[in-house]
Amino acid sequence: MKVHPKFIISGGGTGGHIYPAIAIANEIKAQIPEAEILFVGAQDKMEMQKVPAAGYPIEGLWISGIQRKLTLDNALFPVKFLSSLMKSRKIINQFKPDVVIGTGGFASGSVVKVAQSMGIPTVIQEQNSYPGITNKMLASKANAICVAYEGLSTYFKSNKIIKTGNPVRQDLLDIDSKRAEAQLFYGLENDKKTIVILGGSLGARRINQLVEKELPFFKEQNVQVIWQCGKFYINEYKKYHNNEDVFVFDFIERMDFLFAAADVIVSRAGASSVSELAIVGKPVIFIPSPNVAEDHQTKNAKSITDKNAAILLKEADLDTQFQEQILRLLTNEQVAEALSQNIKALALPNATKDIVKEIFKLVH
């Protein structure tokens, strides 16, 4: 291994791509403090704030995804893609990485594609049970493909697939010891149960509508609610913050405290969320987003719920089944404990270390 290896890590657009990338970077630095790491992201996306906040430099590309409807962004996509390829080549020529790692998103598509054309080793990390368009495009020339689910040989060459699990924040590995500190941090009462509701970093309209409708029900149950409504919706729902044991946030930095304080968790079923919740080991209700490619969030959730390790509620069933399922988890300790134990048994806590091991194999 070189004394000062260099790595470019690219992935972004949502927390589901950004936080695995940061977890990989942190593990690289933990093992080789002298390593140099540069992130590459989309210049107008959340990674431009989150990555520097985690202590890493980042370069931005002029790139965005393709929308489902006719928009100016779609018309500009070919120009943006060409621009991002040119800037990626410039970044790679200047930084001279030993390995380039992609965790998904259109920015990673540009930089990993250019690295492959220049003969630089690449690793892609696929979080979902159904791969995104970027990783499918990059897979044939990748040196290694780290995945979290079985059955991905349908999309990738079997000899490149390594099942590692998804990278997770290392501060989630010991949340049991943080409960008292977490309750203090959020201003919670320790004699009331706490429901945590997560709609993803950007927010989930249907989940937010559900929570607003169920606020009287939560009050009846005498529970505390931490509601992460997302940055797109905070102005609409911040009026409920600190009102009747309800705490509303657009984004949550201390996820370890959040999960330590939780008794029941309601969440979307993005790949990173599913992996983190398995580590956390609390009773979970998954509400998959129906608006994603190939309904992959439902597939992610079913990989857990088929093993009696969580509850799956489709958006169409929320009005008729949500209260019943929440009550079941709040009042039936046997059910809640069984779900906790079963989901924890599915966790892959060494995922980040295993991914970094594959990356280090490629450093010459």
Side-chain angles (χ1 to χ4, degrees):
M1 179 88 62
K2 290 173 65 175
V3 179
H4 297 288
K6 293 183 171 186
F7 304 93
I8 284 178
I9 303 178
S10 184
T14 67
H17 293 314
I18 297 165
Y19 289 109
I22 292 172
I24 290 168
N26 289 343
E27 184 59 32
I28 289 172
K29 291 293 272 185
Q31 294 193 34
I32 306 179
E34 305 82 20
E36 291 184 49
I37 297 171
L38 175 67
F39 277 76
V40 178
Q43 65 185 21
D44 58 346
K45 298 294 184 182
M46 63 187 288
E47 57 263 32
M48 301 308 291
Q49 287 78 47
K50 300 304 175 188
V51 169
Y56 297 101
I58 185 168
E59 294 274 358
L61 303 178
W62 187 43
I63 189 69
S64 58
I66 299 172
Q67 308 300 311
R68 295 186 181 190
K69 53 191 177 185
L70 193 62
T71 64
L72 179 60
D73 269 350
N74 280 357
L76 286 172
F77 181 78
V79 180
K80 287 184 174 184
F81 187 56
L82 186 61
S83 163
S84 69
L85 291 175
M86 291 168 64
K87 186 166 182 185
S88 293
R89 187 170 292 274
K90 182 181 176 186
I91 291 167
I92 288 171
N93 280 328
Q94 288 177 343
F95 188 71
K96 296 182 171 55
D98 295 288
V99 183
V100 173
I101 303 117
T103 62
F106 278 89
S108 79
S110 303
V111 72
V112 175
K113 185 174 177 61
V114 170
Q116 290 173 342
S117 74
M118 295 171 71
I120 296 167
T122 60
V123 174
I124 60 176
Q125 196 267 319
E126 176 52 60
Q127 294 109 26
N128 285 295
S129 54
Y130 179 83
I133 187 171
T134 301
N135 281 349
K136 282 198 282 189
M137 178 183 76
L138 300 170
S140 64
K141 293 185 179 177
N143 296 74
I145 303 167
C146 297
V147 304
Y149 293 93
E150 305 286 354
L152 284 165
S153 56
T154 309
Y155 314 103
F156 304 138
K157 289 180 182 175
S158 298
N159 63 338
K160 294 186 177 185
I161 295 175
I162 305 105
K163 187 183 176 189
T164 55
N166 283 324
V168 296
R169 290 167 262 219
Q170 296 302 290
D171 58 6
L172 301 184
L173 296 177
D174 180 32
I175 61 162
D176 291 345
S177 64
K178 301 179 182 179
R179 187 168 174 91
E181 191 179 359
Q183 288 174 327
L184 194 64
F185 181 84
Y186 283 109
L188 301 171
E189 297 177 43
N190 58 18
D191 60 340
K192 291 182 180 180
K193 290 194 172 178
T194 302
I195 300 172
V196 163
I197 299 167
L198 301 169
S201 52
L202 304 179
R205 177 177 294 281
R206 183 66 187 91
I207 291 179
N208 288 335
Q209 289 170 340
L210 171 78
V211 178
E212 184 176 40
K213 171 177 163 284
E214 299 295 354
L215 288 176
F217 166 74
F218 293 136
K219 186 181 178 184
E220 281 173 25
Q221 305 311 314
N222 196 30
V223 295
Q224 302 164 120
V225 177
I226 301 178
W227 174 10
Q228 185 254 318
C229 66
K231 71 171 190 175
F232 290 159
Y233 302 99
I234 187 65
N235 288 335
E236 188 176 349
Y237 297 112
K238 64 184 178 184
K239 62 190 175 188
Y240 297 114
H241 180 66
N242 221 354
N243 180 21
E244 304 284 3
D245 287 330
V246 176
F247 305 91
V248 186
F249 302 94
D250 57 341
F251 191 82
I252 291 172
E253 296 288 352
R254 289 300 304 262
M255 294 298 283
D256 56 334
F257 281 177
L258 181 77
F259 292 140
D263 293 290
V264 174
I265 299 167
V266 179
S267 175
R268 281 299 201 206
S272 292
S273 297
V274 172
S275 296
E276 290 187 346
L277 290 169
I279 298 278
V280 166
K282 299 282 178 87
V284 180
I285 295 175
F286 286 119
I287 305 173
S289 169
N291 308 310
V292 292
E294 299 295 317
D295 198 22
H296 70 252
Q297 285 204 6
T298 298
K299 292 170 186 169
N300 292 347
K302 276 184 67 61
S303 72
I304 305 293
T305 58
D306 285 351
K307 297 178 174 69
N308 191 33
I311 293 166
L312 190 158
L313 278 182
K314 294 192 173 181
E315 283 193 355
D317 299 326
L318 290 177
D319 289 334
T320 57
Q321 295 183 26
F322 180 76
Q323 288 190 12
E324 177 191 341
Q325 295 296 350
I326 281 285
L327 278 174
R328 190 164 157 243
L329 296 182
L330 290 173
T331 59
N332 191 325
E333 287 186 18
Q334 195 172 351
V335 168
E337 182 61 25
L339 292 178
S340 294
Q341 295 300 323
N342 291 347
I343 197 170
K344 199 144 196 170
L346 301 175
L348 294 167
N350 296 320
T352 318
K353 285 185 170 63
D354 291 342
I355 291 165
V356 168
K357 189 167 124 185
E358 296 302 320
I359 293 166
F360 285 171
K361 286 180 185 177
L362 300 172
V363 178
H364 300 299

